[in-house]
Amino acid sequence: MVIETDRLDFPALTAGEGPVVVCWHGFPDHPATFGPLAEHLVAAGRRVVAPFLRGHHPATADAMRFADGLTLAADAAAVASALGGPVDVFGHDIGAGMVYRLTALRPELVRRAVTAAVPAPARMPALLTDPAQQQRLFYLWLFQLPGLPEQLLAGDRRLVDYLWSTWSPGLADLGAHRERVHALYGDTALLGNALRIYRGNFDAALRDPELLALAARSELPAEKPILLLAGADDGCVDARWFTEEGLAPGSRVEILPDAGHFLHLERPVEVARLALDWYGQPVST
């Protein structure tokens, strides 16, 4: 399906019928990895919509002028509105950051929110200045270098495989998902867009000036409670960073044992159970 919005038309994978759950992916990932989770959400009477991030599909490859978190949050708001919001949302990795900002800036578009594998924005300054966590985030610093990451990843996707294996050490076999992820980041235009998101954290030229006035408010605790899910064995973000600090009152943190960064793929039954319990009884639409 293609979700037509006033910002961009977003290609998306969909399944099921009923009240919508919008699932936003991260890096290095593909919306199809929500498949196992979607099976359980669909069985519970939900319609799952998993859009490709801006610039992560050939149809939007040329639509990445700006790549900051506010741009992505505005995209999430546009999609939620186009789908008749308020909607339930699930954000993983980069998608989690989108959901935090969406819920802070446009709470009327969010019914209930679940984030996975990334702490609340309030935790990020301390996280980014912690030496042990800096080592885990080596890829973020690597991606700031001009030209080198493009060269490394265009030649092969061993770095992508390394990130998957170290972030989710218990995930032994990706099956067809590995091919999908390799194909996405093997496209030089899409790879460049993914790198721009990481560079947008530090490069002001990649930030949309029309959205800058929203920056401070987007970092505040979301106005609605959030369920934050994390894996105890996450090799990207240490589990100690996943706390309720920076989350709205009534929020909850669940750290899953024997799970890593890609917990929606590793533990889809448990993640679906937690998400559905948080979303509550579907409301007919």
Side-chain angles (χ1 to χ4, degrees), residues 126-160:
L127 184 154
L128 291 173
T129 55
D130 178 77
Q133 187 57 52
Q134 287 174 348
Q135 184 177 26
R136 290 175 179 244
L137 297 175
F138 78 93
Y139 66 95
L140 189 157
W141 320 123
L142 170 65
F143 290 170
Q144 305 310 310
L145 299 174
L148 180 58
E150 286 90 341
Q151 181 179 343
L152 290 174
L153 286 162
D156 60 59
R157 256 64 66 200
R158 283 183 294 172
L159 176 58
V160 169

Side-chain angles (χ1 to χ4, degrees), residues 13 25 28-36 39 52 56-58 157 160-161 164 173-187 190 265:
L13 305 181
H25 70 90
D29 207 351
H30 187 288
T33 66
F34 284 118
E39 290 183 14
F52 287 81
H56 284 61
H57 186 281
R157 256 64 66 200
V160 169
D161 289 339
W164 273 84
D173 184 11
L174 291 179
H177 292 309
R178 182 175 182 270
E179 296 177 12
R180 295 186 183 100
V181 170
H182 275 226
L184 196 161
Y185 297 101
D187 183 311
L190 306 187
L265 189 56

Side-chain angles (χ1 to χ4, degrees), residues 27-28 93 139 163-169 233-236 260-262:
F27 171 89
D93 191 81
Y139 66 95
L163 295 178
W164 273 84
S165 64
T166 54
W167 291 1
S168 281
D233 301 329
D234 191 329
C236 179
H261 192 72
F262 298 96

Side-chain angles (χ1 to χ4, degrees), residues 39-63:
E39 290 183 14
H40 300 285
L41 299 180
V42 168
R46 297 305 187 101
R47 180 186 180 211
V48 176
V49 178
F52 287 81
L53 295 182
R54 171 185 293 265
H56 284 61
H57 186 281
T60 63
D62 297 329

Side-chain angles (χ1 to χ4, degrees), residues 100 103 112-113 115 120 221-228 243-254 278:
Y100 287 129
T103 310
R112 297 283 274 175
T115 59
E223 294 192 13
K224 290 188 175 182
I226 288 176
L227 173 63
L228 169 54
T243 70
E244 294 177 3
E245 180 183 342
L247 299 177
S251 297
R252 194 170 89 238
V253 176
E254 292 280 350
W278 187 255

